[in-house]
Amino acid sequence: AQSVTQLDSHVSVSEGTPVLLRCNYSSSYSPSLFWYVQHPNKGLQLLLKYTSAATLVKGINGFEAEFKKSETSFHLTKPSAHMSDAAEYFCVVSDLDFGNEKLTFGTGTRLTIIP
Amino acid sequence: NAGVTQTPKFQVLKTGQSMTLQCAQDMNHEYMSWYRQDPGMGLRLIHYSVGAGITDQGEVPNGYNVSRSTTEDFPLRLLSAAPSQTSVYFCASSSRDRGTDTQYFGPGTRLTVL
């Protein structure tokens, strides 16, 4: 069975400083991994995805994530936070569950940007 | 393209009432799904469909029904609303079956059951 753990429920950073949102996963297969962003009162939007190609994945709005199989991690980073990055971020793993592909969502990390 | 649309945006029900949440997509996606989002629990899959006429249960299907008569529409029916169904509901669609490609989400329906 697969699972996703987002290690921080809330992260606060100052504008212009780096962002790190942590995600660990467990999977018995070669998973696909995603990061989605949800702005207040909006639906979720794909930031980036890993599907067994390059381990460093670049997404929209300057975000990137690195797939580290040895650490079972898929942390999301951005070099310099912007006020518009304030949102909730979800790490998602896609895996096989008794032969069926299944998505499992993390519980989310709320990112606050301090002016 | 409008993408994925959901109606209504907000709804308040009394316990025992029934209602249908509407979802439509104009991207010709075969895969559609319904999730509920509750604080601290991420998104949980309620029902999904891999094409017109085909539906299946997700993680939390009890109390909900779905049907898929067309590729575009995937309504979610609450048969007899309960306070435990107070949540934000998201519809999503994807271009691959089993939904493991990029999911496109609607804006959500915020439901309160009194």
Side-chain angles (χ1 to χ4, degrees), chain B residues 61-103:
Chain B
N62 292 340
Y64 307 95
N65 272 0
V66 292
S67 60
R68 184 95 179 271
S69 56
T70 66
T71 300
E72 294 77 22
D73 300 297
F74 190 44
L76 177 73
R77 280 183 289 278
L78 280 70
L79 307 172
S80 177
S84 61
Q85 294 178 303
T86 294
S87 187
V88 182
Y89 291 85
F90 289 99
C91 179
S93 72
S94 170
S95 59
R96 283 180 55 192
D97 67 345
R98 304 187 189 281
T100 56
D101 206 337
T102 302
Q103 301 280 320

Side-chain angles (χ1 to χ4, degrees), chain A residues 58-78:
Chain A
K58 294 189 184 299
I60 62 172
N61 300 334
F63 284 94
E64 62 181 37
E66 186 171 8
F67 174 71
K68 293 186 176 180
K69 187 173 182 179
S70 61
E71 299 176 11
T72 61
S73 69
F74 191 57
H75 301 334
L76 182 70
T77 60
K78 182 173 180 177

Side-chain angles (χ1 to χ4, degrees), chain B residues 28-88:
Chain B
N28 203 32
H29 286 168
E30 289 298 317
Y31 186 94
M32 296 185 73
S33 54
W34 277 101
Y35 293 87
R36 59 177 290 171
Q37 183 179 28
D38 301 292
M41 302 188 74
L43 273 71
R44 294 181 291 169
L45 182 65
I46 304 171
H47 285 287
Y48 66 96
S49 167
V50 299
I54 307 169
T55 64
D56 206 347
Q57 297 180 347
E59 183 183 354
V60 288
N62 292 340
Y64 307 95
N65 272 0
V66 292
S67 60
R68 184 95 179 271
S69 56
T70 66
T71 300
E72 294 77 22
D73 300 297
F74 190 44
L76 177 73
R77 280 183 289 278
L78 280 70
L79 307 172
S80 177
S84 61
Q85 294 178 303
T86 294
S87 187
V88 182

Side-chain angles (χ1 to χ4, degrees), chain A residues 2-78:
Chain A
Q2 64 201 44
S3 67
V4 178
T5 302
Q6 291 185 242
L7 296 164
D8 306 292
S9 59
H10 190 195
V11 170
S12 293
V13 301
S14 296
E15 189 176 18
T17 65
V19 175
L20 170 64
L21 305 184
R22 298 182 295 165
C23 173
N24 286 106
Y25 70 93
S26 67
S27 170
S28 57
Y29 182 57
S30 291
S32 295
L33 292 156
F34 305 79
W35 276 98
Y36 283 85
V37 60
Q38 183 182 29
H39 287 94
N41 300 314
K42 300 287 187 186
L44 281 72
Q45 178 187 16
L46 180 70
L47 268 183
L48 50 82
K49 63 181 178 181
Y50 165 78
T51 55
S52 76
T55 56
L56 182 62
V57 182
K58 294 189 184 299
I60 62 172
N61 300 334
F63 284 94
E64 62 181 37
E66 186 171 8
F67 174 71
K68 293 186 176 180
K69 187 173 182 179
S70 61
E71 299 176 11
T72 61
S73 69
F74 191 57
H75 301 334
L76 182 70
T77 60
K78 182 173 180 177

